[in-house]
């Protein structure tokens, strides 16, 4: 049965780092995959946010996001303009409302989003907002909610003793990993050189490790937030 799937990420590149291979696989299987990115992903490098000074760079990043979405077979991608690494300064209800609007538009049955104890504050805000927007009220479309890991954020968190312990794995083939890497190469401004955790080599190594954990060549790992059958 064909599903509508929505990936909700904080920043451009999180969606590919977190579940790019899985989106490629699900798209290849005939499901309708969509992406929503909430924050603009650049101005955290400024002491005071000045979006107008980053118009060219933000435009380039949006182009990269659209190219990467094509590589993994997404039907659509929408980029919003919440402040990068400052989403805790936004009223949580404002974030929830825009997510609810997207859910009402697409009626997805499956949602991927951030793990709730990442180092990055925007990832944590998005997790809380998505969980709230996907609360299981009668008639809600979302029946499956999964949390992904983001290299250079999830594993860097050392507080609270709450760590990413996956219990759902999507096995991936060579073609899916190839599409994930191609999508990440579209984000050349965001990627780093090995041995940085956000490098192509490290991302592929993680996919191999997650695959080895389930006896496969490659996989992406998730925590099941809620699954309704």
């Amino acid at each position: 049965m064909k599903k509508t799937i929505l990936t909700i990420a904080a920043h451009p590149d999180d969606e590919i780092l977190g579940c790019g291979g899985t989106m490629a696989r699900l798209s290849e299987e005939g499901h309708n995959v969509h992406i929503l990115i909430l924050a603009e992903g650049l101005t955290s490098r400024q002491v005071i946010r000045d979006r107008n000074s980053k118009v060219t760079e933000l435009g380039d990043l949006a182009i990269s996001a659209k190219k990467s979405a094509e590589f993994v077979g997404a039907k659509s991608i929408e980029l919003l303009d919440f402040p990068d690494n400052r989403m805790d300064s936004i009223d949580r209800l404002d974030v929830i409302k825009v997510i609810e609007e997207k859910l009402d538009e697409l009626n997805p049955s499956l949602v991927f989003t951030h793990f709730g104890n990442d180092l990055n504050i925007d990832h944590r805000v998005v997790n809380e907002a998505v969980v709230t927007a996907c609360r299981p009220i009668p008639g809600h479309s979302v029946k499956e909610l999964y949390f992904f890991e983001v290299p250079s954020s999830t594993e860097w968190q050392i507080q609270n003793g709450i760590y990413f312990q996956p219990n759902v794995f999507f096995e991936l083939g060579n073609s899916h990993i190839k599409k994930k890497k191609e999508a990440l190469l579209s984000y050349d401004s965001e990627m780093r050189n090995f041995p940085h955790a956000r490098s192509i080599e490290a991302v592929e190594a993680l996919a191999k490790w997650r695959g080895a954990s389930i006896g496969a060549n490659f996989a992406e790992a998730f925590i099941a937030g809620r699954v309704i059958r």
Side-chain angles (χ1 to χ4, degrees):
M1 181 178 177
K2 183 181 292 188
K3 295 180 179 180
T4 297
I5 295 158
L6 177 61
T7 294
I8 304 174
H11 314 105
D13 82 353
D14 288 339
E15 78 285 9
I16 304 300
L17 290 167
C19 59
T22 300
M23 288 193 290
R25 171 184 157 179
L26 293 172
S27 175
E28 186 180 280
E29 291 174 354
H31 302 292
N32 295 318
V33 175
H34 302 269
I35 299 169
L36 174 64
I37 298 175
L38 295 170
E40 33 82 356
L42 274 180
T43 59
S44 65
R45 298 159 194 175
Q46 299 173 309
V47 176
I48 299 175
R49 188 188 188 217
D50 181 7
R51 192 190 185 287
N52 291 333
S53 70
K54 294 287 185 180
V55 170
T56 299
E57 293 93 332
L58 287 167
D60 291 342
L61 190 56
I63 291 170
S64 295
K66 290 173 182 177
K67 286 182 179 178
S68 71
E70 292 175 2
F71 277 120
V72 299
K75 297 288 187 183
S76 73
I77 180 168
E78 182 178 2
L79 291 90
L80 302 183
D81 192 37
F82 286 111
D84 181 34
N85 273 280
R86 294 182 172 96
M87 287 189 68
D88 56 331
S89 68
I90 305 298
D91 288 341
R92 192 63 45 83
L93 185 59
D94 291 342
V95 183
I96 293 167
K97 289 295 185 183
V98 299
I99 294 170
E100 288 179 332
E101 288 176 8
K102 197 67 177 180
L103 294 173
D104 289 341
E105 174 191 340
L106 295 174
N107 290 310
S109 62
L110 189 159
V111 169
F112 293 111
T113 196
H114 291 277
F115 173 58
N117 197 40
D118 273 19
L119 181 63
N120 188 290
I121 184 61
D122 290 354
H123 297 184
R124 301 200 298 272
V125 170
V126 170
N127 170 273
E128 291 181 5
V130 171
V131 170
T132 303
C134 293
R135 59 199 182 277
I137 60 176
H140 203 290
S141 68
V142 177
K143 305 303 181 185
E144 299 176 70
L145 176 60
Y146 299 110
F147 307 131
F148 53 66
E149 58 185 331
V150 175
S152 77
S153 178
T154 308
E155 79 281 8
W156 286 356
Q157 175 64 283
I158 58 175
Q159 299 178 9
N160 303 328
I162 302 171
Y163 303 110
F164 187 80
Q165 296 179 307
N167 53 15
V168 176
F169 296 79
F170 281 76
E171 184 175 350
L172 305 177
N174 291 329
S175 65
H176 310 132
I177 291 299
K178 179 180 179 182
K179 289 176 181 178
K180 176 168 181 159
K181 291 194 295 184
E182 288 173 337
L184 288 174
L185 287 171
S186 295
Y187 283 121
D188 57 338
S189 65
E190 304 303 305
M191 300 304 290
R192 300 292 181 264
N193 294 324
F194 188 81
H196 196 287
R198 198 168 65 252
S199 63
I200 295 294
E201 295 90 341
V203 168
E204 184 170 6
L206 178 60
K208 287 182 177 179
W209 170 243
R210 294 307 186 192
S213 300
I214 59 167
N217 289 324
F218 299 102
E220 285 175 337
F222 305 86
I223 293 175
R226 181 183 299 113
V227 178
I228 302 172
R229 294 287 189 235

Short mmCIF file of all heavy atoms in Angstrom, two decimals, residues 86-112:
data_model
loop_
_atom_site.label_atom_id
_atom_site.label_comp_id
_atom_site.label_asym_id
_atom_site.label_seq_id
_atom_site.Cartn_x
_atom_site.Cartn_y
_atom_site.Cartn_z
N ARG A 86 18.50 29.23 16.92
CA ARG A 86 17.82 30.16 17.84
C ARG A 86 16.34 29.81 17.95
O ARG A 86 15.53 30.66 18.35
CB ARG A 86 17.98 31.61 17.34
CG ARG A 86 19.42 32.14 17.38
CD ARG A 86 19.44 33.60 16.91
NE ARG A 86 20.75 34.22 17.10
CZ ARG A 86 21.68 34.30 16.16
NH1 ARG A 86 21.46 33.78 14.95
NH2 ARG A 86 22.84 34.89 16.39
N MET A 87 15.97 28.59 17.61
CA MET A 87 14.55 28.23 17.62
C MET A 87 13.96 28.19 19.02
O MET A 87 12.75 28.23 19.18
CB MET A 87 14.32 26.91 16.88
CG MET A 87 14.46 27.03 15.37
SD MET A 87 13.94 25.56 14.47
CE MET A 87 12.16 25.57 14.77
N ASP A 88 14.82 28.13 20.03
CA ASP A 88 14.32 28.22 21.40
C ASP A 88 13.85 29.63 21.75
O ASP A 88 13.22 29.84 22.80
CB ASP A 88 15.37 27.74 22.40
CG ASP A 88 16.69 28.48 22.29
OD1 ASP A 88 17.03 28.94 21.18
OD2 ASP A 88 17.39 28.59 23.31
N SER A 89 14.14 30.60 20.87
CA SER A 89 13.67 31.97 21.08
C SER A 89 12.28 32.19 20.48
O SER A 89 11.68 33.25 20.65
CB SER A 89 14.64 32.97 20.45
OG SER A 89 14.63 32.87 19.02
N ILE A 90 11.77 31.19 19.78
CA ILE A 90 10.45 31.27 19.13
C ILE A 90 9.41 30.62 20.03
O ILE A 90 9.66 29.58 20.65
CB ILE A 90 10.49 30.54 17.77
CG1 ILE A 90 11.61 31.09 16.88
CG2 ILE A 90 9.14 30.64 17.06
CD1 ILE A 90 11.48 32.54 16.53
N ASP A 91 8.23 31.21 20.10
CA ASP A 91 7.15 30.57 20.84
C ASP A 91 6.90 29.18 20.27
O ASP A 91 6.71 29.02 19.05
CB ASP A 91 5.86 31.40 20.74
CG ASP A 91 5.92 32.68 21.55
OD1 ASP A 91 6.79 32.76 22.45
OD2 ASP A 91 5.12 33.59 21.29
N ARG A 92 6.90 28.19 21.13
CA ARG A 92 6.76 26.80 20.66
C ARG A 92 5.48 26.60 19.86
O ARG A 92 5.47 25.84 18.88
CB ARG A 92 6.79 25.86 21.88
CG ARG A 92 6.95 24.37 21.53
CD ARG A 92 8.27 24.09 20.85
NE ARG A 92 9.37 24.76 21.52
CZ ARG A 92 10.00 24.29 22.60
NH1 ARG A 92 9.64 23.15 23.13
NH2 ARG A 92 10.99 24.97 23.15
N LEU A 93 4.43 27.28 20.25
CA LEU A 93 3.17 27.13 19.53
C LEU A 93 3.29 27.56 18.08
O LEU A 93 2.66 26.96 17.19
CB LEU A 93 2.07 27.95 20.23
CG LEU A 93 0.66 27.81 19.65
CD1 LEU A 93 0.20 26.35 19.70
CD2 LEU A 93 -0.32 28.70 20.40
N ASP A 94 4.12 28.57 17.79
CA ASP A 94 4.30 29.02 16.41
C ASP A 94 4.95 27.92 15.57
O ASP A 94 4.62 27.76 14.38
CB ASP A 94 5.18 30.28 16.37
CG ASP A 94 4.48 31.50 16.96
OD1 ASP A 94 3.24 31.47 17.07
OD2 ASP A 94 5.18 32.47 17.31
N VAL A 95 5.87 27.18 16.16
CA VAL A 95 6.51 26.07 15.45
C VAL A 95 5.50 24.94 15.25
O VAL A 95 5.40 24.36 14.16
CB VAL A 95 7.74 25.56 16.23
CG1 VAL A 95 8.44 24.46 15.44
CG2 VAL A 95 8.71 26.71 16.51
N ILE A 96 4.76 24.63 16.28
CA ILE A 96 3.76 23.56 16.19
C ILE A 96 2.74 23.87 15.11
O ILE A 96 2.36 22.98 14.33
CB ILE A 96 3.07 23.36 17.56
CG1 ILE A 96 4.07 22.83 18.59
CG2 ILE A 96 1.87 22.41 17.44
CD1 ILE A 96 3.57 22.90 20.02
N LYS A 97 2.30 25.11 15.03
CA LYS A 97 1.25 25.48 14.08
C LYS A 97 1.69 25.25 12.63
O LYS A 97 0.91 24.76 11.80
CB LYS A 97 0.83 26.94 14.29
CG LYS A 97 0.04 27.19 15.55
CD LYS A 97 -1.32 26.49 15.53
CE LYS A 97 -2.15 26.86 16.74
NZ LYS A 97 -3.44 26.10 16.76
N VAL A 98 2.93 25.62 12.29
CA VAL A 98 3.36 25.43 10.90
C VAL A 98 3.51 23.93 10.57
O VAL A 98 3.26 23.51 9.44
CB VAL A 98 4.67 26.18 10.58
CG1 VAL A 98 4.50 27.67 10.78
CG2 VAL A 98 5.85 25.67 11.39
N ILE A 99 3.88 23.14 11.56
CA ILE A 99 3.96 21.69 11.35
C ILE A 99 2.56 21.13 11.16
O ILE A 99 2.31 20.30 10.28
CB ILE A 99 4.69 21.01 12.52
CG1 ILE A 99 6.15 21.45 12.55
CG2 ILE A 99 4.58 19.49 12.41
CD1 ILE A 99 6.90 21.02 13.79
N GLU A 100 1.63 21.58 11.98
CA GLU A 100 0.24 21.11 11.85
C GLU A 100 -0.33 21.47 10.49
O GLU A 100 -1.07 20.66 9.89
CB GLU A 100 -0.61 21.70 12.97
CG GLU A 100 -0.34 21.10 14.33
CD GLU A 100 -1.18 21.72 15.44
OE1 GLU A 100 -1.56 22.91 15.30
OE2 GLU A 100 -1.45 21.03 16.43
N GLU A 101 0.00 22.64 9.99
CA GLU A 101 -0.47 23.03 8.66
C GLU A 101 0.04 22.07 7.59
O GLU A 101 -0.70 21.70 6.67
CB GLU A 101 -0.02 24.46 8.34
CG GLU A 101 -0.75 25.53 9.13
CD GLU A 101 -0.21 26.92 8.86
OE1 GLU A 101 0.64 27.06 7.94
OE2 GLU A 101 -0.62 27.87 9.55
N LYS A 102 1.31 21.68 7.69
CA LYS A 102 1.88 20.74 6.72
C LYS A 102 1.24 19.37 6.86
O LYS A 102 0.98 18.69 5.85
CB LYS A 102 3.40 20.66 6.91
CG LYS A 102 4.12 20.06 5.71
CD LYS A 102 4.03 20.97 4.51
CE LYS A 102 4.81 20.44 3.32
NZ LYS A 102 4.71 21.33 2.15
N LEU A 103 1.00 18.95 8.07
CA LEU A 103 0.34 17.66 8.28
C LEU A 103 -1.07 17.67 7.69
O LEU A 103 -1.50 16.70 7.06
CB LEU A 103 0.29 17.34 9.77
CG LEU A 103 1.63 17.09 10.47
CD1 LEU A 103 1.44 16.96 11.97
CD2 LEU A 103 2.33 15.86 9.91
N ASP A 104 -1.78 18.78 7.87
CA ASP A 104 -3.14 18.89 7.31
C ASP A 104 -3.10 18.90 5.79
O ASP A 104 -4.01 18.37 5.13
CB ASP A 104 -3.82 20.16 7.82
CG ASP A 104 -4.19 20.09 9.29
OD1 ASP A 104 -4.24 18.97 9.84
OD2 ASP A 104 -4.40 21.17 9.90
N GLU A 105 -2.06 19.49 5.22
CA GLU A 105 -1.93 19.55 3.76
C GLU A 105 -1.65 18.17 3.16
O GLU A 105 -2.25 17.80 2.14
CB GLU A 105 -0.79 20.50 3.39
CG GLU A 105 -0.45 20.54 1.90
CD GLU A 105 0.83 21.28 1.61
OE1 GLU A 105 1.28 22.09 2.46
OE2 GLU A 105 1.42 21.05 0.53
N LEU A 106 -0.76 17.41 3.78
CA LEU A 106 -0.29 16.15 3.18
C LEU A 106 -0.95 14.90 3.74
O LEU A 106 -0.98 13.87 3.08
CB LEU A 106 1.23 16.04 3.39
CG LEU A 106 2.10 17.08 2.69
CD1 LEU A 106 3.55 16.91 3.11
CD2 LEU A 106 1.97 16.96 1.17
N ASN A 107 -1.43 14.97 4.98
CA ASN A 107 -1.99 13.79 5.66
C ASN A 107 -1.04 12.59 5.61
O ASN A 107 -1.43 11.50 5.17
CB ASN A 107 -3.35 13.42 5.06
CG ASN A 107 -4.42 14.43 5.38
OD1 ASN A 107 -4.61 14.80 6.55
ND2 ASN A 107 -5.10 14.90 4.35
N PRO A 108 0.19 12.75 6.06
CA PRO A 108 1.12 11.62 6.02
C PRO A 108 0.75 10.57 7.05
O PRO A 108 0.21 10.89 8.12
CB PRO A 108 2.46 12.27 6.37
CG PRO A 108 2.08 13.40 7.27
CD PRO A 108 0.78 13.94 6.70
N SER A 109 1.06 9.33 6.74
CA SER A 109 0.86 8.26 7.73
C SER A 109 2.15 7.97 8.48
O SER A 109 2.13 7.36 9.55
CB SER A 109 0.36 6.99 7.04
OG SER A 109 1.31 6.51 6.10
N LEU A 110 3.30 8.42 7.94
CA LEU A 110 4.60 8.16 8.55
C LEU A 110 5.40 9.46 8.58
O LEU A 110 5.48 10.16 7.57
CB LEU A 110 5.35 7.09 7.77
CG LEU A 110 6.64 6.50 8.34
CD1 LEU A 110 6.94 5.14 7.72
CD2 LEU A 110 7.84 7.41 8.12
N VAL A 111 5.98 9.75 9.74
CA VAL A 111 6.79 10.96 9.90
C VAL A 111 8.16 10.59 10.48
O VAL A 111 8.25 9.81 11.44
CB VAL A 111 6.09 11.98 10.82
CG1 VAL A 111 7.05 13.11 11.23
CG2 VAL A 111 4.86 12.56 10.15
N PHE A 112 9.21 11.14 9.88
CA PHE A 112 10.57 11.06 10.41
C PHE A 112 10.95 12.44 10.95
O PHE A 112 10.71 13.45 10.29
CB PHE A 112 11.58 10.69 9.32
CG PHE A 112 11.44 9.31 8.76
CD1 PHE A 112 11.02 9.12 7.44
CD2 PHE A 112 11.74 8.19 9.51
CE1 PHE A 112 10.91 7.85 6.89
CE2 PHE A 112 11.63 6.91 8.98
CZ PHE A 112 11.22 6.74 7.68
#
